[in-house]
């Protein structure tokens, strides 16, 4: 059996291209034509049969930074902005060298939200159960209490003017 | 006619053969014959639904010498240039690159799939060709029938087709050499599939290296 190693075959590789016994140009032309048709078919598929990238995976998840809401024992919720909770990542290890102003806590306006336990908007019932007590008409009028309150208001006004 | 005359006339008969290095050691332009004649086949990707497999698979050319091999190899497009669903097949003598061919029917293939773009695929294909035509991968007499490369969207597959599928010792030797040719590491398993399982939906390899 005649054998040639890879190195022997590589040594016999001619520096110039030799003649071949078939129509290379025609062969390459067929391949180019197929590539052209495949490219057009791919383009057509992209244009008319395009599927959403999330087709098999449900809708894409967009992560939003949720605002922090703390609710106290009385049912009042405090909205804390995302910016207030976001820590500065630019601070390096030598943060002691920074200006003192930078260390001061950033004062951020806090918004207070009132949570409505009654979800039925059309209901005549007050949203907050405490409003039931506040709106309750007082049956007894205390005249002395009313007089005291007017005097106090006048004193306060005088103090401000003085 | 005398015996001398017949001998003379017979001597004058000469079938012109291509001179090779074996016929003249002084002539450097002579060609280096290979052990076998090899035929290059190409599977054209279907561009029309009416095209059948037999329409798509065509022999491109044949060669018998090292010089002819290099001329063809340098002239044809490399695997990375070919369109998807193309195949190159290089088969010995007149063996058709089909399971149904009598020489392939009892055989199988060592195969490995290169996933992704594989920039070195042209070099790996060339190394496979050299190993096959140089007969260095085939210790036994012509156990190898051919070598195939499939160009697909998700990567490339190179396979060596063997004549038998049950000669485990010979197949293992071929597989080990083929793995070296393809520069595969221990974590890249080379699998052997008998052609008899080719029509199965999920064929299992009979050998893994």
């Amino acid at each position: 059996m005649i054998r040639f190693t890879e190195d022997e075959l590589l040594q016999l590789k001619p520096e110039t291209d030799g003649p071949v016994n078939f129509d290379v140009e025609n062969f390459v032309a067929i391949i180019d034509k197929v590539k052209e048709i495949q490219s057009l078919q791919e383009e057509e598929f992209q244009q008319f049969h395009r599927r959403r990238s999330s087709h098999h995976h449900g809708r894409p998840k967009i992560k939003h930074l949720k605002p922090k809401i703390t609710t106290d024992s009385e049912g009042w919720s405090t909205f804390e902005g995302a910016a207030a909770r976001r820590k500065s990542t630019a601070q390096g290890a030598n943060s002691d060298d920074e200006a003192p102003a930078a260390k001061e806590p950033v004062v951020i306006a806090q918004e207070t939200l009132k949570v409505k336990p009654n979800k039925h908007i059309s209901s005549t019932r007050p949203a907050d159960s405490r409003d039931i007590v506040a709106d309750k008409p007082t049956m007894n009028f205390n005249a002395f209490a009313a007089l005291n309150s007017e005097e106090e208001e006048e004193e306060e006004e005088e103090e401000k003017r003085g | 006619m005398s015996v001398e005359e017949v001998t003379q006339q017979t001597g004058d008969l000469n079938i012109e053969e291509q001179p090779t290095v074996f016929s003249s050691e002084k002539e450097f332009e002579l060609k280096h014959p290979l052990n076998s004649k090899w035929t290059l086949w190409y599977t054209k990707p279907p561009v029309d639904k009416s095209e059948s497999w037999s329409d798509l698979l065509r022999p491109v050319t044949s060669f018998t010498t090292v010089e002819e091999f290099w001329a063809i190899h340098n002239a044809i497009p490399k695997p990375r240039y070919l369109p998807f669903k193309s195949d190159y097949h290089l088969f010995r003598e007149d063996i058709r690159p089909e399971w149904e061919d009598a020489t392939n029917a009892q055989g199988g293939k060592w195969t490995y799939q290169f996933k992704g773009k594989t920039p070195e695929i042209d070099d790996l294909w060339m190394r496979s060709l050299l190993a096959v035509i140089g007969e260095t991968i085939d210790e036994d007499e012509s156990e190898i029938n051919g070598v195939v490369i499939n160009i697909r969207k998700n990567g490339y597959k190179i396979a060596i087709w063997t004549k038998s599928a049950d000669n485990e010792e010979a197949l293992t030797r071929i597989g080990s050499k083929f793995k070296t040719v393809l520069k595969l590491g221990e974590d890249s398993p080379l699998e052997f599939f008998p052609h008899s399982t080719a029509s199965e939906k999920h064929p299992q390899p009979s050998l893994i290296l």
Side-chain angles (χ1 to χ4, degrees):
Chain A
M1 183 183 270
I2 305 165
R3 294 182 198 272
F4 293 97
T5 63
E6 186 181 327
D7 288 339
E8 286 169 344
L9 290 168
L10 286 168
Q11 281 173 5
L12 292 170
K13 186 178 181 180
E15 291 180 2
T16 55
D17 294 344
V20 291
N21 54 357
F22 70 103
D23 189 348
V24 181
E25 285 181 11
N26 185 41
F27 182 64
V28 175
I30 290 169
I31 287 169
D32 285 341
K33 187 68 184 169
V34 171
K35 285 182 84 169
E36 188 186 332
I37 292 168
Q38 279 190 349
S39 175
L40 287 170
Q41 286 175 341
E42 181 70 19
E43 202 175 303
E44 189 184 339
F45 183 83
Q46 291 280 337
Q47 204 169 352
F48 298 108
H49 300 84
R50 196 175 163 200
R51 289 177 174 180
R52 285 173 46 176
S53 59
S54 58
H55 180 74
H56 300 291
H57 313 289
R59 295 186 173 215
K61 289 178 182 176
I62 301 165
K63 192 179 180 183
H64 293 289
L65 195 59
K66 289 181 181 175
K68 189 181 178 185
I69 298 172
T70 51
T71 307
D72 61 18
S73 57
E74 292 181 349
W76 290 88
S77 297
T78 305
F79 173 82
E80 194 181 332
R85 290 190 289 123
R86 191 175 291 141
K87 290 177 183 177
S88 172
T89 54
Q91 278 188 335
N94 54 348
S95 58
D96 295 341
D97 301 336
E98 290 179 7
K103 289 183 177 178
E104 290 178 4
V106 180
V107 179
I108 294 176
Q110 291 192 340
E111 193 180 341
T112 314
L113 293 178
K114 193 176 180 181
V115 176
K116 294 180 178 179
N118 182 11
K119 291 176 182 175
H120 302 288
I121 304 299
S122 61
S123 172
T124 54
R125 186 187 164 92
D128 194 330
S129 58
R130 283 169 299 186
D131 291 347
I132 299 169
V133 181
D135 294 345
K136 190 179 179 183
T138 50
M139 299 301 289
N140 301 322
F141 177 71
N142 190 338
F144 294 104
L147 284 170
N148 285 337
S149 66
E150 281 179 11
E151 283 173 2
E152 281 172 8
E153 283 175 9
E154 283 175 5
E155 282 173 5
E156 283 174 4
E157 281 179 10
E158 282 173 2
E159 281 175 8
K160 284 177 186 174
R161 283 170 196 157
Chain B
M1 191 182 287
S2 68
V3 176
E4 286 78 18
E5 283 173 337
V6 172
T7 309
Q8 179 65 38
Q9 285 187 4
T10 309
D12 292 342
L13 285 172
N14 184 25
I15 300 167
E16 279 195 18
E17 288 183 351
Q18 272 193 326
T20 67
V21 285
F22 294 113
S23 58
S24 172
E25 292 178 358
K26 292 176 184 174
E27 189 61 73
F28 293 105
E29 293 299 316
L30 299 182
K31 294 181 177 179
H32 295 75
L34 295 165
N35 189 54
S36 298
K37 180 183 113 180
W38 294 89
T39 302
L40 177 72
W41 300 71
Y42 175 66
T43 309
K44 185 180 83 68
V47 290
D48 191 334
K49 285 178 183 175
S50 64
E51 291 176 301
S52 67
W53 166 252
S54 56
D55 296 332
L56 303 172
L57 178 66
R58 295 284 179 192
V60 179
T61 186
S62 295
F63 57 89
T64 54
T65 66
V66 177
E67 288 73 15
E68 286 169 356
F69 162 75
W70 281 120
I72 293 163
H73 183 264
N74 292 342
I76 61 172
K78 302 291 176 285
R80 269 166 65 82
Y81 183 80
L82 294 179
F84 298 130
K85 297 183 184 176
S86 290
D87 305 323
Y88 271 147
H89 319 254
L90 186 73
F91 273 72
R92 198 188 295 275
E93 304 294 347
D94 297 319
I95 303 170
R96 283 183 69 86
E98 295 172 327
W99 313 323
E100 296 85 355
D101 189 285
T103 321
N104 292 324
Q106 303 301 315
K109 62 178 180 181
W110 279 111
T111 183
Y112 186 80
Q113 184 177 3
F114 296 89
K115 291 175 183 170
K117 291 187 174 177
T118 320
E120 66 278 18
I121 195 68
D122 290 349
D123 181 56
L124 294 173
W125 172 238
M126 188 191 74
R127 284 170 58 90
S128 303
L129 293 175
L130 298 181
V132 169
I133 64 166
E135 309 280 2
T136 51
I137 208 166
D138 202 355
E139 285 184 3
D140 302 316
E141 280 294 314
S142 307
E143 175 65 28
I144 290 171
N145 284 349
V147 59
V148 180
I149 184 167
N150 309 118
I151 291 88
R152 299 293 180 267
K153 222 168 193 175
N154 58 348
Y156 302 88
K157 207 183 270 185
I158 298 182
I160 276 190
W161 285 37
T162 59
K163 195 182 283 181
S164 70
D166 50 4
N167 189 351
E168 195 171 320
E169 198 178 322
L171 291 174
T172 304
R173 281 200 299 271
I174 290 169
S176 300
K177 287 184 180 178
F178 188 37
K179 201 168 177 176
T180 308
V181 168
L182 295 180
K183 299 179 179 176
L184 300 178
E186 290 299 315
D187 54 341
S188 305
L190 187 70
E191 296 175 322
F192 184 84
F193 295 91
H195 292 319
S196 55
T197 65
S199 55
E200 291 176 12
K201 204 168 187 181
H202 300 291
Q204 294 297 313
S206 61
L207 294 169
I208 299 176
L209 285 178

